[in-house]
Amino acid sequence: MIFLEIKRLSKIVADLLDISKFDENIITLVKTEIEVQDLFDDLTHLFNERFAKFKIKLIIKPSKLTVYADYFKLKQVFINLIENALLYAKTDVVIYANLKNDNIRFIVQDNGLGLTYQQKEKIFERFYRIDESRNRNSGGTGLGLSIVKEIITGHNGEIYVQSEINQGTEFIFSIPQKRS
């Protein structure tokens, strides 16, 4: 129990440090050409066991796209979105990418409980948390999605959410495919 509490507090401190770096404009993105499939393969290895534990399928559709981005920050975005999807999904979480108007559009989709209009309006606000009784595991900081938004904005991209109650949720974000 002590180990879990230390881990939780470490996560809170890391999130607060990230937020303060964004506030002070001292986040440096180290952008390189990234093969989207390489990132997807890393995510598959990272999450397969956890998904199997909950008997939920992680479906990552293959991609031949490349994107100019900070690999570790982009991975951080996916980790947050996938962990959130795992909390609420019923059977599947689907991830894929496509090209739209010189931007790579990434989609993380679950078939969970969905969000109300009010929740969608607040979802990217700092410290906002969905009703804890609706998920498998509580204890988040309420900072994850605001950090995700900051990272996407730092890549000159945008993020939004589409969701209907009992129909699941899609987080969709896009970033420029090439150097800008």
Side-chain angles (χ1 to χ4, degrees):
M1 192 181 307
I2 292 171
F3 174 75
L4 291 176
E5 280 302 306
I6 290 170
K7 192 173 174 182
R8 186 182 71 79
L9 288 172
S10 294
K11 171 80 171 114
I12 291 170
V13 169
D15 285 351
L16 289 170
L17 286 171
D18 278 350
I19 286 291
S20 67
K21 288 176 185 175
F22 284 113
D23 287 348
E24 299 297 322
N25 291 320
I26 57 174
I27 285 285
T28 303
L29 298 176
V30 181
K31 295 180 181 181
T32 60
E33 289 283 326
I34 298 169
E35 298 290 331
V36 172
Q37 189 59 48
D38 291 344
L39 176 60
F40 283 0
D41 289 344
D42 280 355
L43 295 168
T44 299
H45 295 305
L46 186 64
F47 281 100
N48 264 346
E49 243 179 73
R50 286 180 56 198
F51 273 76
K53 176 181 168 185
F54 291 109
K55 295 181 173 55
I56 295 174
K57 286 177 67 176
L58 175 60
I59 302 165
I60 300 181
K61 297 182 180 179
S63 174
K64 293 185 185 214
L65 298 169
T66 60
V67 66
Y68 187 70
D70 183 312
Y71 182 86
F72 295 104
K73 291 298 183 192
L74 192 55
K75 187 174 179 180
Q76 182 180 358
V77 165
F78 274 106
I79 288 170
N80 186 285
L81 295 176
I82 293 169
E83 285 178 344
N84 285 348
L86 180 59
L87 293 175
Y88 296 99
K90 295 176 187 171
T91 57
D92 299 340
V93 173
V94 180
I95 300 168
Y96 60 97
N98 55 38
L99 182 61
K100 185 176 182 182
N101 301 331
D102 296 328
N103 290 308
I104 302 294
R105 195 170 72 138
F106 295 97
I107 295 93
V108 177
Q109 178 181 50
D110 71 54
N111 60 358
L113 300 172
L115 300 169
T116 65
Y117 175 79
Q118 292 82 5
Q119 290 167 329
K120 287 188 288 188
E121 290 295 306
K122 294 181 176 187
I123 197 80
F124 295 107
E125 290 179 11
R126 292 179 185 181
F127 302 108
Y128 180 75
R129 294 174 65 192
I130 302 292
D131 177 11
E132 293 175 21
S133 66
R134 299 176 65 215
N135 69 31
R136 286 182 184 80
N137 178 21
S138 60
T141 62
L143 292 171
L145 290 174
S146 62
I147 292 170
V148 162
K149 186 171 183 165
E150 293 283 354
I151 292 170
I152 300 304
T153 302
H155 280 86
N156 300 316
E158 50 189 40
I159 185 168
Y160 60 96
V161 62
Q162 292 181 332
S163 185
E164 299 286 330
I165 292 295
N166 296 319
Q167 301 295 313
T169 301
E170 280 186 336
F171 281 92
I172 301 158
F173 67 94
S174 61
I175 56 176
Q177 181 182 27
K178 301 193 184 312
R179 270 178 220 231
S180 51

